[in-house]
Amino acid sequence: MDKRDVMALDSVNSSDSLQHNPCEAPSEPGGPLSMEESDNSLKRKRPRLDSGGRASGIMSTERTIATSSSSEPAPLSPSTALTEHGLVQTDEQTNIDFPSHVRTPSKVTINVRAPQPGIPDLEQNPKDVLSAPSARPDMSATRESSSPLMITTNRSATVSPSSTQPRSPEIEIAEVEDIDSDNDGSEWPSVVNVIGEDGQGTNLMDHFPCLDRGQTLLDTMHWLAGILEKGDLGNGEVILELTSWFNAYLNYTERPTRRLKLLEDYLPFWMELPHLFESLLRRRHPFGPHFHVYPLTVVEGNCARFIEDLLKVYARLTLRLVQMDIHILEQSSPTENSRIEFYSHRYAQTLNYVTKTVDVPLWSTFTKHYNISTSRIVAAVADYFLAIPLNGFSCVSHFAALLFKYICNRPSLFHHAYPAMQITKNLLGIASNKFTTCRDDILSIPERWRNFPREAVRFFRAMDSEIQTSIQRVPSSLSGDFSKELVNIMASLLIDSAHTDRTLAASLFQEIVGHFEDARPEYYADLIGVSWKLKLLKKYVTEGRMELRVQGVDALQSDLVAAFNKYARSNEVGINHPVMQYLASFILENKLVDYIVGIDSHPQLIARSANIVGFLVVTFKYTSHESDAIWHTVRTSQDPRVVASVLTMLGSIFNTCEYGVLIYLCKKLNELPLHAFDAKMIEYGTLLLQHIRDKFSNARREEQLDTPPYDLCIRLIRQAAADEGKFAANVDAVSQFALGELAHLLQWGPSESDRKLIYKECIRDIAEKTPNATGSICAINALLSQRPHSDTALLTEELDLARLVVDELAVSVQRQREKGVPSLVRNYAVSARLDLLYNIILYEPATIKPELGDVMWDSLWGKGALGERERELAWTKLINALDALEKPNNFLNRCITVYLPQLDPSLFTPGVLTFSQHVVDYQNRSMVPRGEGDQDVIEIMGVEQVWRLILTAPNESIGVSAIKLLVGIYLDSPIIAKASAAAVDATHIAVVDRCVRQLTSAASKLRAFSDGTTSGEDEPMVIVVSDAEIYAQELYFHRSLSFLKEIIFGMRAHPQYSPPLKQQPEIPQPATTVKGDPIRIRYQGFTGNSQTAIRDFVIGDLETAKDLNERLRDSTKFSRFNLIAGGQYLNLDAVEERTLRDLRIVNKGLLMVKKIEAANTGVEMDYSEGVAAVELEISKHFDDLYDLLGLEEKLAHEIFDFIISFPPENKIRRMVVDKTTSTAMIFPKGQPYKALYCINTLQICLKEQLQRGNQNEHFISHGVKLMLSAVMDTSIIEAASNHQLKMSIATSIVECLLAFLKGNDPPLFASFSS
């Protein structure tokens, strides 16, 4: 048996035992307690029952005890509890009425032949019991409190097997009256006449071993159970007393009326009695030092024989209760629905363990501690059970047969037959041992054992008949988990019977299995069991209700796995074992796969069928027929749950399938329409192709992978892109799946011939411009990714791919535009064609003739493109091709030199700008660096297209980005960085000149537009100017000025383009010898608001102040200055002859040298030093820029903002400070921005003069007069056309006037006020 039987025995409670042992039947709640938990169970409350000799009909109990087999086991009374160290007394007691239907027996006269010694009080302290003076010396030796509990009695003399005293009360049944007589309708009391010497009679139940009058039967029984499980059994007296008492009871209750009466009156005791024997079977400890165990051949004084006799009595007692249950069934009707209570269920469960030869703790104790094999004890009990008059197997089988008549209406009764089957299985094991031992002399085996296998088969047939007919019943008696356990044990009964009797096995084989050519006699038993079980499970699956169908498939797949592990893995024969072959043949012949995975099947069945199909795979019985049957369900089922279950099932067997099976499944997958590829199908396909690749790579084949995987991927790629206008999410997922899987498959193929066939088929779609053209292009792209160079050449040269794809491109673009295809579809279609054209452009550009190039350019980048998004995709791909070039490319050169310059500005996109940037990089990539002495303007290839973007792009963001790009090219490009400074300056000056020319050109045209006329050859001609022309020139002007600003600011931000500051010359050291002691003079120069660093020089202290004056003039370059020494002005000219020692100049500290400015307006600025060459160039163009201030206000404003970022031009400086300059020149009529510039120049001149510290009163007076006249002349402000400009002019005039007024000394205000 399974090792779990040990657990089952340790938990004999029927519900627990079933949980641990798959061959145990579920029991009622009244089943026995766990053997491992005996201590705890003994501590529970137990009912108190009167001994039975009382007149009252009410029994004292501690709680109500159910009187049926479903009652809970009565717990131990709280007054006493058995522990590992003895009895412990408790105080809690509760008295409630016992159920009224339990009768209290009356008294009859009992003759006692000999006086009975006293029975110990179980409620007294165990130490008192152990120390009682009347205790028997051989059973009550003094022990520590922690020692095992010993049985003691209060009888006057010690009782032992060899003593002259009787071992137990000698009970003699005295039939005083005829119990069967009616006696006026009264019932006889359930007592036993026991004749004693004093002539008095007592109740048999009062003489239950160790029963004290203060205790109940249940308390005593539980106390004894603890002794049997863990206590010291002394010399076995308690075993003998129990055996004697049970024999007396059985003899007395031979008549049915007596047994029933006594059973009903003490029902809780009898229902709990199996616990006593369960405790004995659970025993794991030695029995005690005085418990003599000898080899079983020894009879006298052998305590092992005592236990054997007790178990025989228990077998007889069990059969007595089974007979009563048979009587109950015979008196009932199978059609009734009333509740039936059985007595024998728990007894039979315990008898099951009595008849087991292994996994019983008691037998292990005998073997471990006494080295005695207990198989003889079990065999003796079993023989006693089978022998006449007991004829136990006939009794239990009859009971089971009767039960089977009830299960149609009462399926819950089925588990009561389970112990009978377990006992039968145990007996078959014993019979098998006998047949094995006496194989050469079968006749020496007792007849009852020789016939037992056939009896067991008859028992099997009776149950099998009911099982076969109950499959279709509703409710079925086979419902629930019990069905599985029942089928398993029935199959084991059949196998064990066949194993035991070879003759019987041959007969059963012909009956159940029939013809099977691979069978040999040694395999008959297994084949018989397997065949019966398979046929039954097939009936489950095909004829049962849904619940049984699921159970059948579950059981079938579990059995197949078990068979594979038993016969294939652990057997040298492997999958060729007859059982394996029979199983596979049975599945195929009965078409179980067709049924379980058929179109009418249920997802629950399909989900459980993986091991069934997998079994055919591992036995090499799986064929294309099974694949076709399974795939028929996938293809035709309308239930997505069924399809998902089939796919999951198939996916779980891929690891066991051979390469050929997987390839065939791939072919079947390719038969499905595109719409069938949902997320589950894609998952299945991914798993299938992965296993195909793994199987192929593991086999290390040298040939290419078979074509079905490639056919599948190519077909899905082609079809997924064909449904234009109905582009669904799953179609995109299908496309991604197919493309991804094809990329993985390219490592192993396809072969050259298959590749060419795929190419030709795809190009046929392109040439015929079919809806599949996009998908075919995607397929070609996928194959080209493996060998782009050689395959592109093949396609363009042999199949004229370039012409075909360009022609199809034009048609596809037009078709999608007309149909209004969604952008997602358009993007997908264009991307596919761009990928293909990319390879042609990169590897075979010569095949793109000019006429094809024109069509391609217009369809992808020109006006014929589908939209902005598609253009951006095309520009990105063109940029990638340009970056990947390693040699000149005719088509790309044509794009740069012909198509791009002709591109309409309305089509300028960020992609055009990016492409232009890459064109500059591409064209200047191979330029030879210029020599250091080269001072010519640097020619940068490709910038003209950037200039075109700057000057003509309608999109402002593109124009701004183009300006930044071009500024970056002129300032940071490698060609600039490698050139000489002179060449860079020349280049930047040329750029400035270009910008100014563009500004003046645009201004000239705008003035002409505003005049409305233009000069003809003979006379002026009136022209009409469009808004677009005006906008184009304004944009031209605006972008040129923006670029000029950006490059100036960029150069100022780059230190390498800023001129170095003029360094002050080092102080020259005197050439002559120092006069006197050398001293160090420290000084700092000041000019206006600026100052120099602190410097010093060495001079002799005997030199004069005149010498110091010259040194300071040379060092600071100040022609005139004031000197502050020691905080006071020092006039060196007045003390020029005095020595520095006399002046104590060394003690004056830091000398402060302040420059004296010339008494003039300081309008002139020296641009020769400290100014960048570009800014100098801008100053040369000042007249042109100043003239532009007279343009329309919007343009003039831009010029004004630019030129005020530079110092005022000297020409304007001279004009504004010249007293003779008229107000009209400074504030020209109708030109407000020129007026603003002059006002700004006046303010700057005043500020510079104030910073120098010598104000020119004439200049200030002139400035005040100019501002006053401006204030008085309202036409200056009114010349502005918008309010904001008017406010700006007025504010500037007022601010300038205030600055001049604040710059004067206070006395000057008086003259102004007059």
Side-chain angles (χ1 to χ4, degrees), residues 73 131 425 591 597 629 703 742 758 960 993 1036 1143 1286:
S131 60
K425 180 174 176 58
K591 298 184 177 180
V597 197
E703 67 274 12
L742 182 59
I758 294 173
V960 171
D993 291 341
Y1036 198 81
L1143 295 174
K1286 291 178 181 180

Side-chain angles (χ1 to χ4, degrees), residues 382-411:
D383 191 67
Y384 179 76
F385 178 77
L386 284 181
I388 296 175
L390 233 58
N391 199 12
F393 178 71
S394 176
C395 181
V396 296
S397 61
H398 180 51
F399 172 68
L402 288 174
L403 269 177
F404 273 79
K405 296 179 181 180
Y406 287 78
I407 62 173
C408 177
N409 296 323
R410 305 181 190 185

